[in-house]
């Protein structure tokens, strides 16, 4: 594989590496993950003989992870890699290696989206998390959340705006953007499935896709209520924790209200995950135009969230 890295570490590099404590977040993440599968999956992104040599795909992928964890723009990421020793060590750069510029970072992100590799990279990480026994599979929490499109929707007479985003209504307010669907492991809080649709896409239609198939129970809010769906889960031996919805001529019974309260307490954990993604990983607003690019970005956020959660579950932080 061609690359711009020299692979040669000088005395200065070895001495500088020793300045990073073993408890540094990036050192812990790097030591807990086998990156070989990720590297092999991304090798076809660059032709082995045609074009100018580029930075290795794995290094560029890890740069995108840094961007998510530290909330950096492309120019900010380029500058931070140049300045921060911890970033250079995480990427495997020596002092003599050139730093990827913002243009290369942007191009690599686009290549990743065009190849639809986000989901497969996420699945590779999930395999390692399962091998470590971190995914319990006792229950799956299913939910969805709205994401504003970037930039703002066009005003009347304007042609700007994301052509693949949709309008929907939340209460009395209109919302222009997308909808993220996710399922979370009940016990660990790790994300197991992600999907992105237009904002007007009913979350109930994504329910079966969000159910993994290896869990003992499924919990979801009343938006997913459907008699046939509940019966199908029970027929498979899966506990159904979908909150019941009252109907005009059939109010909820006392036992149903008690079950709803219990189910609501259990599924509250998925709302905490969504809150973390929105507040710490910028999921409240899409940064790019188009469903494919934003979907790939969603998978990157999921990978970053799970990597950080992995260290918490291991008691490493």
């Amino acid at each position: 594989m061609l690359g711009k890295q020299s692979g040669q570490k000088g005395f200065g590099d070895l001495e500088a590496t020793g300045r990073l404590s073993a408890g540094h977040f990036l050192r812990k993440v790097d030591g807990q993950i086998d990156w070989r599968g990720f590297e092999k999956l991304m090798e076809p992104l660059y032709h082995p003989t045609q074009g100018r040599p580029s930075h290795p795909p794995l290094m560029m992928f890890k740069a995108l992870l840094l961007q998510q964890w530290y909330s950096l723009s492309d120019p900010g990421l380029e500058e931070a890699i140049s300045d921060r020793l911890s970033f250079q060590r995480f990427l495997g750069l020596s002092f003599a290696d050139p730093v990827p510029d913002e243009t290369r970072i942007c191009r690599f992100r686009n290549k990743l989206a065009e190849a639809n590799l986000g989901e497969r990279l996420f699945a590779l990480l999930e395999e390692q998390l399962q091998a470590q026994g971190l995914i319990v599979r006792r229950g799956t929490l299913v939910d969805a959340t709205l994401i504003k499109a970037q930039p703002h929707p066009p005003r009347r007479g304007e042609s700007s705006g994301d052509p693949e985003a949709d309008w929907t209504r939340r209460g009395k307010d209109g919302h222009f953007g997308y909808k993220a669907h996710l399922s979370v492991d009940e016990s660990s809080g790790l994300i197991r499935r992600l999907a992105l649709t237009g904002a007007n896409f009913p979350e109930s239609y994504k329910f079966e896709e969000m159910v993994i198939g290896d869990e003992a129970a499924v919990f979801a809010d009343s938006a997913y209520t459907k008699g046939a769906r509940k019966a199908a889960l029970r027929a498979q031996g899966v506990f159904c924790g979908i909150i019941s919805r009252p109907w005009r001529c059939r109010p909820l019974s006392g036992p149903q209200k008690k079950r709803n309260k219990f189910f609501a307490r259990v599924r509250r954990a998925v709302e905490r995950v969504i809150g973390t993604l929105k507040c710490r990983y910028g999921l409240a607003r899409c940064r790019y135009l188009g469903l494919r690019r934003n979907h790939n970005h969603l998978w990157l956020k999921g990978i970053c969230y799970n990597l950080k959660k992995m260290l918490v579950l291991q008691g490493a932080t």
Side-chain angles (χ1 to χ4, degrees):
M1 176 172 52
L2 291 175
K4 286 200 169 187
Q5 290 173 278
S6 66
Q8 300 294 326
K9 298 292 189 294
F11 290 113
D13 293 293
L14 297 175
E15 181 180 353
T17 300
R19 297 179 184 176
L20 292 178
S21 67
H24 193 285
F25 165 67
L26 294 178
R27 288 194 70 171
K28 288 185 289 188
V29 170
D30 210 22
Q32 292 293 329
I33 295 298
D34 183 354
W35 298 104
R36 289 174 295 181
F38 296 85
E39 186 174 31
K40 184 175 181 181
L41 182 61
M42 292 184 288
E43 275 184 358
L45 289 177
Y46 293 104
H47 195 280
T49 58
Q50 295 180 3
R52 295 172 58 191
S54 181
H55 295 87
L58 178 61
M59 192 205 73
M60 298 299 293
F61 171 69
K62 292 169 80 173
L64 295 183
L65 300 184
L66 291 173
Q67 186 174 46
Q68 292 297 316
W69 282 322
Y70 294 91
S71 303
L72 297 168
S73 64
D74 290 350
L77 177 59
E78 177 186 350
E79 182 177 346
I81 295 173
S82 299
D83 291 344
R84 301 182 68 165
L85 175 65
S86 60
F87 281 25
Q88 295 169 16
R89 296 291 81 85
F90 182 68
L91 299 180
L93 286 170
S94 72
F95 290 149
D97 291 326
V99 170
D101 58 43
E102 58 177 289
T103 302
R104 292 184 182 276
I105 293 167
C106 180
R107 286 176 180 171
F108 178 80
R109 186 191 304 106
N110 291 338
K111 281 181 175 289
L112 207 62
E114 291 167 4
N116 289 319
L117 289 182
E119 184 174 0
R120 295 170 65 185
L121 292 166
F122 185 91
L124 281 176
L125 175 60
E126 184 179 23
E127 290 177 7
Q128 295 197 37
L129 296 175
Q130 290 195 33
Q132 296 179 31
L134 298 179
I135 297 178
V136 183
R137 296 193 288 264
R138 187 172 70 184
T140 294
L141 314 177
V142 179
D143 206 353
T145 186
L146 293 172
I147 310 172
K148 293 181 181 179
Q150 178 72 21
H152 294 292
R155 297 177 182 177
R156 184 175 298 178
E158 294 180 346
S159 59
S160 61
D162 191 334
E164 296 186 71
D166 290 320
W167 280 100
T168 190
R169 183 170 294 278
R170 174 182 280 179
K172 295 182 180 180
D173 300 325
H175 176 93
F176 180 78
Y178 294 94
K179 183 178 291 183
H181 309 258
L182 70 164
S183 56
V184 173
D185 186 56
E186 176 196 350
S187 299
S188 67
L190 290 165
I191 300 171
R192 301 198 63 191
R193 289 288 186 277
L194 285 166
L196 190 71
T197 64
N200 65 350
F201 189 91
E203 52 259 45
S204 181
Y205 292 0
K206 278 285 182 181
F207 179 82
E208 280 71 24
E209 183 180 327
M210 293 295 104
V211 174
I212 313 300
D214 59 5
E215 60 274 279
V218 175
F219 296 89
D221 64 25
S222 59
Y224 300 90
T225 300
K226 191 176 180 181
R229 179 171 291 145
K230 293 182 176 183
L233 288 173
R234 290 166 182 149
Q236 297 168 15
V238 178
F239 179 82
C240 179
I242 301 177
I243 293 176
S244 298
R245 177 187 296 173
W247 302 99
R248 292 180 181 177
C249 58
R250 190 174 58 188
L252 294 176
S253 65
Q256 283 179 314
K257 291 179 180 179
K258 289 182 179 179
R259 286 197 296 270
N260 278 357
K261 288 183 179 179
F262 171 71
F263 296 161
R265 286 197 300 269
V266 174
R267 66 167 297 277
R268 199 173 297 158
V270 72
E271 295 175 353
R272 289 195 293 269
V273 174
I274 291 174
T276 300
L277 289 173
K278 286 194 168 185
C279 295
R280 299 186 63 180
Y281 291 92
L283 189 63
R285 184 182 297 276
C286 292
R287 293 187 62 179
Y288 308 104
L289 295 177
L291 182 65
R292 176 184 290 184
R293 295 177 68 190
N294 283 312
H295 200 184
N296 181 74
H297 205 56
L298 179 64
W299 287 112
L300 281 175
K301 293 180 188 296
I303 291 171
C304 287
Y305 173 90
N306 277 357
L307 284 170
K308 200 157 191 177
K309 187 69 175 180
M310 171 193 69
L311 296 184
V312 174
L313 295 171
Q314 294 171 337
T317 58

